[in-house]
Amino acid sequence: MQRLDLRTVLYDVVEKYIVGYLDNELLERGEFQFYDNEVSTPATNVDELIKEVEYIEPSDVFAVDGSSRTFVSSKGVVSIASVSLSSSMHPLVGVYPSISGLPSLDLSIPFIALASSFKSSGITPFLYSSEIISTTSIDGTPFSSFQNPETIEAEIRLILETEAILSSKISSGSLLIIDGPIFPPSMFLRYQVKEKLSQRRKTVLNDKNVVGIVKRLDKSQFLRSSIKDSFRRDFVAKYRVDPLSFLNDEAFLLRLYENVASKPYRPIVVGPFKKTDQVDIFVNYLIYPFHPYVKKFSVLRIETTSNDMKIVNMMSSLEFTKDGIPSILAIADSSAKAVTSGVLRVISTIMERIGVQASFSSRIGVQT
């Protein structure tokens, strides 16, 4: 029997079957239901919805990003969070908590959360709280190891990110990029916790020019659910693509780009749309080509508190990484992850040295 070259076989499979199936437009019925909780309305007309980017040299731009990890043991959960601030002028402005001589942010709030595996013995968890440790949620409920660790992680990380927005190291009037929506997403968070976090962030935003960047649009249906009724009919007539034919925003935006752009590829913006979440938020979508002649794009959702295209144009003029995000946000992300990883490694080593055994998932996670 002739030996088949695996690379050749896989190439044929991808070319003839996989790509063909994924391009199968028989799936496009335009009647899929969507389940996004958020609601927005177009803040412009169909003719002005799509526009090319106008490059604007950005001034000093800052970026805040947080990271979180969890050590799970038979006795309970220890969750750690960190936050980092970077800028286009000074790559690493500061981190919290500060370790290994890194510049420090002016924060003094808990970055460690404890959740016991034992039923309450009558001793109030408040007695165990300190400047760097918290045993209770922002709504006063004690943390419990019965909770999904991501719930605890998300809460303490979002608190750190919100307070970092107030850092005195951020120049007055500068743009500040945060990773994710401007207001905390509801995923993993209880309603009471999300409301308290949102109220605090609303207070913090009063004198700040904040831009939220959402990277993962393959599970989002926010945009396709915002183009509806008569606006949808006019949109389909003009751009020859129906948003309801796609199951997520990323797929829809990439098809839309194919219909409206040609080589050499240039960044385009789709929007704005307006939603209300504590305050009015304006949403634009940036499709950013990595190369003028290669089909590879970054698709980002950009949220702002003002309907100012100058901000969106400035975001698209920043240097981007090969993963398709602004470099200053990538620096904040990587430095925050380095801090949490270091803190978790120290805590896990001490815990196991004194006889507290890590659960299976933590034994894998700490080693990576």
Side-chain angles (χ1 to χ4, degrees):
M1 180 181 293
Q2 182 181 3
R3 185 175 180 180
L4 296 175
D5 178 65
L6 181 60
R7 187 181 184 88
T8 302
V9 171
L10 292 179
Y11 186 89
D12 287 343
V13 169
V14 170
E15 187 179 52
K16 295 178 181 178
Y17 298 97
I18 296 178
V19 174
Y21 177 79
L22 295 179
D23 279 341
N24 187 354
E25 300 197 9
L26 291 176
L27 296 173
E28 298 185 1
R29 299 298 184 211
E31 299 298 335
F32 295 116
Q33 290 189 342
F34 46 87
Y35 304 95
D36 241 302
N37 292 325
E38 296 179 294
V39 175
S40 76
T41 56
T44 186
N45 57 52
V46 169
D47 292 332
E48 297 177 350
L49 187 69
I50 300 175
K51 41 204 156 292
E52 283 194 357
V53 164
E54 297 178 13
Y55 289 102
I56 298 177
E57 186 67 29
S59 55
D60 197 10
V61 179
F62 291 81
V64 163
D65 200 4
S67 171
S68 54
R69 298 281 297 276
T70 294
F71 176 87
V72 181
S73 75
S74 59
K75 291 191 174 183
V77 167
V78 182
S79 292
I80 301 107
S82 69
V83 66
S84 175
L85 176 66
S86 62
S87 84
S88 53
M89 302 292 289
H90 303 90
L92 185 57
V93 177
V95 297
Y96 179 79
S98 180
I99 60 173
S100 303
L102 295 176
S104 178
L105 290 179
D106 43 351
L107 298 177
S108 57
I109 53 178
F111 62 88
I112 300 175
L114 304 181
S116 174
S117 292
F118 299 95
K119 291 184 177 180
S120 173
S121 58
I123 302 177
T124 173
F126 287 96
L127 295 178
Y128 293 95
S129 296
S130 74
E131 187 178 86
I132 65 172
I133 297 174
S134 176
T135 58
T136 58
S137 176
I138 194 173
D139 66 347
T141 306
F143 289 126
S144 166
S145 63
F146 188 74
Q147 291 175 264
N148 191 325
E150 284 86 353
T151 302
I152 302 174
E153 285 185 28
E155 181 175 334
I156 59 174
R157 183 182 69 250
L158 287 168
I159 290 174
L160 290 188
E161 291 176 355
T162 299
E163 298 307 314
I165 294 173
L166 285 172
S167 174
S168 61
K169 297 190 176 185
I170 300 174
S171 305
S172 176
S174 296
L175 281 180
L176 175 63
I177 301 173
I178 61 173
D179 184 21
I182 289 180
F183 286 94
S186 57
M187 185 179 296
F188 299 131
L189 297 175
R190 300 194 311 276
Y191 175 79
Q192 296 87 340
V193 172
K194 180 182 183 297
E195 286 300 297
K196 285 186 173 293
L197 285 172
S198 295
Q199 285 295 331
R200 176 58 179 162
R201 187 160 287 190
K202 179 182 178 181
T203 302
V204 167
L205 290 176
N206 279 342
D207 59 347
K208 299 290 183 180
N209 200 355
V210 176
V211 179
I213 293 185
V214 181
K215 305 185 293 290
R216 298 174 181 86
L217 300 181
D218 58 316
K219 297 296 187 293
S220 171
Q221 297 183 330
F222 177 77
L223 174 60
R224 66 185 291 280
S225 65
S226 301
I227 300 177
K228 53 190 177 183
D229 302 331
S230 60
F231 192 91
R232 174 193 167 201
R233 289 192 294 272
D234 295 341
F235 180 91
V236 173
K238 181 172 181 63
Y239 299 112
R240 306 179 310 282
V241 57
D242 186 352
L244 295 191
S245 294
F246 301 88
L247 295 178
N248 63 69
D249 290 343
E250 183 180 61
F252 163 53
L253 284 166
L254 289 176
R255 175 61 66 84
L256 176 62
Y257 190 91
E258 289 183 3
N259 284 17
V260 300
S262 59
K263 298 177 182 179
Y265 300 128
R266 288 176 49 86
I268 66 168
V269 174
V270 180
F273 296 84
K274 186 174 80 170
K275 67 171 183 172
T276 300
D277 189 352
Q278 304 295 325
V279 297
D280 285 344
I281 300 293
F282 294 90
V283 178
N284 285 277
Y285 291 84
L286 172 66
I287 308 175
Y288 185 93
F290 289 98
H291 190 278
Y293 295 99
V294 177
K295 277 190 175 183
K296 185 178 180 183
F297 308 93
S298 173
V299 184
L300 300 174
R301 171 173 155 184
I302 300 176
E303 296 189 356
T304 58
T305 53
S306 62
N307 190 11
D308 187 352
M309 281 304 300
K310 180 181 177 181
I311 297 176
V312 180
N313 289 331
M314 194 177 295
M315 289 299 99
S316 61
S317 303
L318 293 172
E319 178 185 348
F320 275 59
T321 69
K322 63 180 181 179
D323 295 321
I325 61 173
S327 296
I328 57 170
L329 185 59
I331 292 172
D333 173 64
S334 61
S335 53
K337 285 178 178 175
V339 171
T340 17
S341 180
V343 173
L344 180 65
R345 190 172 292 111
V346 171
I347 288 178
S348 61
T349 300
I350 297 172
M351 295 275 282
E352 294 190 323
R353 185 181 300 162
I354 63 177
V356 180
Q357 179 177 316
S359 297
F360 183 75
S361 57
S362 281
R363 290 199 295 274
I364 295 175
V366 170
Q367 293 172 1
T368 58

